[in-house]
């Protein structure tokens, strides 16, 4: 089984789409999720406290600031704005694919785990995540 999910983002941050994925899976197997972009990532992360999302976003912004920050002056790829190359760096540090076991149509996630797209760009984007369930 294979499908794709299109997610609309409104700037940097974590966008949960666990319910979308859970509503699609059936049967038992191994689910692979893959994001088709080089400036966004996928994460399994806590979905109970919204501060986790904002803290992660703040941490990665501090770790890899925009190219307008003097510490990033060495970067050459700035054609699409000051957040472009930093977004690629964040995507290189974080997963672009996830694997989740599925048992009898249920994602084998922990109690507080959710599936997130981590947007690294400031502008709104339409992001595609391909899902493949192997049996």
């Amino acid at each position: 089984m294979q499908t794709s999910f299109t997610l609309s983002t409104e700037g940097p941050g974590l966008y949960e789409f666990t319910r979308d994925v859970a509503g699609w899976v059936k049967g038992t197997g191994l689910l692979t999720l893959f994001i088709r972009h080089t400036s966004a990532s996928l994460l399994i992360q806590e979905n109970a406290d919204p501060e986790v999302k904002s803290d992660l976003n703040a941490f990665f912004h501090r770790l890899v600031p925009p190219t307008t920050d003097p510490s990033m002056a060495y970067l050459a790829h700035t054609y699409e704005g000051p957040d472009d190359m930093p977004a690629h760096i964040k995507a290189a540090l974080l997963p672009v694919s996830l694997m989740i076991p599925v048992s009898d149509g249920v994602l084998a996630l922990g109690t507080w785990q959710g599936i997130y797209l981590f947007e690294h760009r400031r502008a709104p984007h339409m992001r595609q995540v391909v899902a493949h369930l192997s049996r």
Side-chain angles (χ1 to χ4, degrees):
M1 286 177 42
Q2 198 170 58
T3 193
S4 92
F5 299 95
T6 301
L7 293 100
S8 175
T9 67
E10 297 296 323
L14 285 91
Y15 297 82
E16 187 174 7
F17 65 109
T18 311
R19 285 186 185 153
D20 297 333
V21 175
W24 175 75
V25 296
K26 305 217 180 333
T28 296
L30 184 62
L31 173 66
T32 301
L33 298 172
F34 175 78
I35 190 162
R36 300 182 65 203
H37 305 278
T38 60
S39 57
S41 307
L42 296 174
L43 289 178
I44 293 176
Q45 197 47 255
E46 179 179 328
N47 63 1
D49 186 346
E51 289 177 345
V52 171
K53 295 188 317 184
S54 60
D55 285 351
L56 280 169
N57 196 40
F59 171 78
F60 278 98
H61 179 76
R62 185 174 179 182
L63 182 67
V64 188
T67 58
T68 53
D69 186 294
S71 69
M72 303 302 274
Y74 66 93
L75 294 175
H77 181 74
T78 59
Y79 311 114
E80 294 180 41
D83 67 329
D84 186 32
M85 189 60 210
H88 293 299
I89 294 169
K90 292 171 190 174
L93 294 172
L94 295 164
V96 295
S97 66
L98 302 172
M99 293 174 42
I100 304 165
V102 177
S103 298
D104 296 323
V106 177
L107 298 168
L109 293 171
T111 302
W112 307 115
Q113 289 183 319
I115 304 167
Y116 291 90
L117 181 149
F118 197 168
E119 177 62 68
H120 304 305
R121 298 298 306 270
R122 288 190 309 210
H125 283 83
M126 297 299 288
R127 301 297 196 175
Q128 287 189 333
V129 176
V130 176
H132 180 87
L133 184 61
S134 302
R135 296 180 191 218

